[in-house]
């Protein structure tokens, strides 16, 4: 399908609704992870979340078996699985260390890393506007972290590592979703991440209780749904349309942290997260404008 035809079939309302569903799923999942606290090692929690989540892909076994992957696609899935495994373990650790709103706000750094990675590794140009937006996003991150004004905890460092790994994973999924069904992309991620985390989980293994397994199954349910909804959103509409919807996650996470976990509302975290998302939204809007110029014919050009 040509780029022009792909644009013609985009469904912005559907993309927004799918991203809204993804955001709600991720916030509920995050709250459930937070509720577990330190009752289980974060690495074991991460492993069980993905292992239990595999049950949702049983109906997709036929699709998986029928899908013929190239050597390049196997390589991308393997590399993405390793990188995503690191991101997941770091994220679960961060959840035990810092407030819910800070985790959510710092998650917004992922598209910034994607923009930088696209320039460094995919040959995309870095115009002055994009560089300015990245600087604004980094200022937002500094407002959240406030180095020199408060202690930067291991949880903050873990989130910086999480967003970097997620950014790389995001670049890969954007390549894969153009070639392969979203169901296959999400299922392969779950399989490879489960395998990737398994050795680390075995090293800290403690037999879980039934209530813990129940919470982890709920986490797996919302996480799997969130990833699938996000993939559908990316397929239905441009990122420039769906990206601003993710700001609602910060609002929901802040309210949950205050009302459920008694974390209080940190004005600087909200301000920093808002700056980061504003910068991301500008970058994605600008990308959409440039792509429209590339695929929209100039009315002054001769008709063939």
């Amino acid at each position: 399908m040509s780029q022009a035809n792909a644009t013609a079939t985009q469904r912005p309302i559907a993309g927004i609704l799918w991203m809204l569903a993804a955001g709600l799923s991720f916030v509920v999942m995050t709250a459930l992870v937070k509720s577990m606290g330190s009752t289980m090692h974060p690495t074991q929690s991460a492993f069980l979340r993905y292992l239990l989540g595999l049950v949702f892909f049983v109906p997709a076994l036929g699709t998986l078996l029928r899908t013929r992957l190239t050597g390049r696609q196997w390589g991308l899935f393997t590399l993405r699985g390793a990188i995503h495994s690191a991101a997941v373990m770091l994220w679960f650790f961060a959840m035990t260390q810092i407030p819910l709103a800070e985790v959510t706000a710092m998650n917004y750094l992922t598209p910034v890393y994607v923009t930088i990675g696209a320039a460094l590794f995919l040959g995309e140009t870095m115009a002055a506007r994009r560089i300015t937006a990245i600087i604004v996003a980094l200022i937002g991150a500094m407002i959240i972290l406030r180095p020199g004004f408060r202690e930067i905890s291991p949880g903050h460092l873990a989130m910086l590592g999480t967003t970097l790994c997620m950014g790389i994973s995001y670049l890969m999924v954007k390549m894969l979703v153009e070639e392969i069904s979203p169901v296959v992309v999400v299922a392969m991620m779950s399989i490879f991440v489960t395998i990737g985390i398994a050795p680390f989980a075995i090293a800290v293994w403690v037999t879980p209780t039934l209530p813990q397994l129940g919470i982890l199954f709920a986490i797996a349910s919302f996480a799997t749904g969130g990833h699938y909804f996000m993939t559908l959103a990316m397929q239905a509409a441009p990122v420039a349309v769906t990206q601003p919807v993710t700001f609602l996650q910060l609002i929901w996470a802040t309210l949950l942290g205050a009302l459920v976990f008694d974390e209080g509302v940190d004005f600087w975290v909200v301000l920093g997260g808002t700056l980061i998302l504003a910068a991301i939204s500008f970058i994605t809007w600008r990308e959409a404008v440039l792509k429209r110029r590339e695929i929209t014919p100039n009315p002054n050009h001769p008709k063939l």
Side-chain angles (χ1 to χ4, degrees), residues 45-62:
S45 297
F47 169 72
L48 288 172
R49 166 263 179 269
Y50 273 89
L51 181 65
L52 293 170
L54 292 178
V55 70
F56 296 105
F57 297 104
V58 172
L61 278 177

Side-chain angles (χ1 to χ4, degrees), residues 160-175:
L160 290 174
T162 297
T163 51
L164 176 60
C165 292
M166 287 291 187
I168 298 171
S169 177
Y170 184 90
L171 286 172
M172 291 180 176
V173 77
K174 283 296 288 181
M175 292 186 286

Side-chain angles (χ1 to χ4, degrees), residues 100-118:
L100 196 61
E102 293 189 27
V103 170
T104 304
M106 292 186 70
N107 266 332
Y108 291 144
L109 284 172
T110 295
V112 176
Y113 290 136
V114 171
T115 302
I116 296 172

